[in-house]
Amino acid sequence: MRKRIFVALAALVAVALATGGAWYYKRQQERGSLPCAQQPPSQFSPYCLAQAQAAAGRRDRAAMMSLVEYFEKRQPAEAVRWTRAAAALGEPRAISRVLSTCGEGKAFTLAEAQALLPQAPQMEVLNFQLGGSCAGADFAVVRGLHPAQMLSEPDSAGLCKVAVRYGLLRLSRDGAQLDSQAAQQMLAECERRPQISPTARRQAESVRQMLAREIRPVHISVD
């Protein structure tokens, strides 16, 4: 009798351990092998995704941007929705995304981009006004730009965008009165910055060389 009881208890323990082990394994799969803060947003575990969604629902801008990264290749429309929500709260990365992907047939409209300009970083606004986004160049702003003041601009990526855009405008028919020497100085400063990408450096060098030779440009993307 005692033997039967012992066997029954052992069987119950085995079932409990198996059930508990399966539950623990499933829980670990849901949570992931790393804490949420250490998981790349694009590879969030189900648990960390749920945590990010809850935080985004509380208007956490960083969580919204994590969701943008997570959904970007899975559900692009969802990534756009969170980009729009984060941009409305003044998130600089979201605003930059809107300004770089606006226009006819794009994820965001010109009107949306223009509405965000008061919240955008200074160099993003300037790049937009120089025609570096979905609107044409505002030559009143272009002619009022003082390139020498840009040389100490701490935003290296922003400086390079503005420098390339200004240089291309100088090479255009409408920009004939712009200061070519000042444009070349701004481009050279961009090339000197250690933080910029190789692509941005090559773009700046190419436009600077065209200015030096007064060569009319072919199309070069600065985004």
Side-chain angles (χ1 to χ4, degrees):
M1 183 67 176
R2 288 181 178 178
K3 186 176 180 180
R4 290 179 181 176
I5 293 173
F6 176 78
V7 171
L9 287 173
L12 287 173
V13 169
V15 170
L17 288 173
T19 303
W23 176 86
Y24 178 78
Y25 178 72
K26 182 180 179 182
R27 184 78 171 190
Q28 284 299 103
Q29 279 191 317
E30 290 177 349
R31 284 181 174 270
S33 58
L34 294 172
C36 294
Q38 296 178 28
Q39 292 185 24
S42 61
Q43 301 173 27
F44 269 162
S45 66
Y47 172 81
C48 294
L49 173 61
Q51 292 292 99
Q53 288 172 321
R58 298 191 296 270
R59 299 168 64 86
D60 184 317
R61 299 186 306 177
M64 290 178 180
M65 294 309 296
S66 292
L67 293 177
V68 170
E69 187 174 339
Y70 179 85
F71 285 114
E72 193 162 27
K73 294 184 178 178
R74 294 176 173 86
Q75 299 178 41
E78 190 71 358
V80 167
R81 184 172 78 85
W82 284 115
T83 299
R84 187 174 281 118
L89 294 176
E91 165 57 49
R93 292 170 295 170
I95 292 173
S96 293
R97 276 177 172 262
V98 173
L99 296 183
S100 64
T101 54
C102 62
E104 187 175 351
K106 299 289 186 67
F108 305 99
T109 66
L110 171 60
E112 283 183 289
Q114 290 174 325
L116 291 172
L117 289 179
Q119 301 178 72
Q122 178 185 359
M123 298 305 284
E124 290 282 356
V125 174
L126 194 52
N127 181 57
F128 185 93
Q129 293 171 328
L130 267 60
S133 186
C134 54
D138 182 342
F139 269 87
V141 173
V142 176
R143 286 188 289 269
L145 178 67
H146 299 288
Q149 296 177 1
M150 298 289 103
L151 301 182
S152 59
E153 169 58 45
D155 178 1
S156 296
L159 168 68
C160 289
K161 283 185 178 182
V162 169
V164 169
R165 182 59 53 187
Y166 186 86
L168 290 173
L169 288 172
R170 169 60 184 83
L171 286 163
S172 71
R173 181 178 302 172
D174 293 333
Q177 301 304 313
L178 300 179
D179 189 337
S180 179
Q181 188 62 36
Q184 291 178 62
Q185 289 176 344
M186 192 160 46
L187 289 161
E189 175 61 25
C190 167
E191 293 175 63
R192 282 194 290 269
R193 297 288 178 94
Q195 308 97 322
I196 68 166
S197 68
T199 299
R201 183 173 284 106
R202 287 194 299 270
Q203 289 173 342
E205 181 182 17
S206 175
V207 175
R208 181 176 54 78
Q209 289 175 349
M210 286 192 292
L211 281 168
R213 299 168 188 166
E214 286 298 317
I215 298 175
R216 296 298 171 186
V218 294
H219 175 73
I220 296 178
S221 172
V222 296
D223 296 323

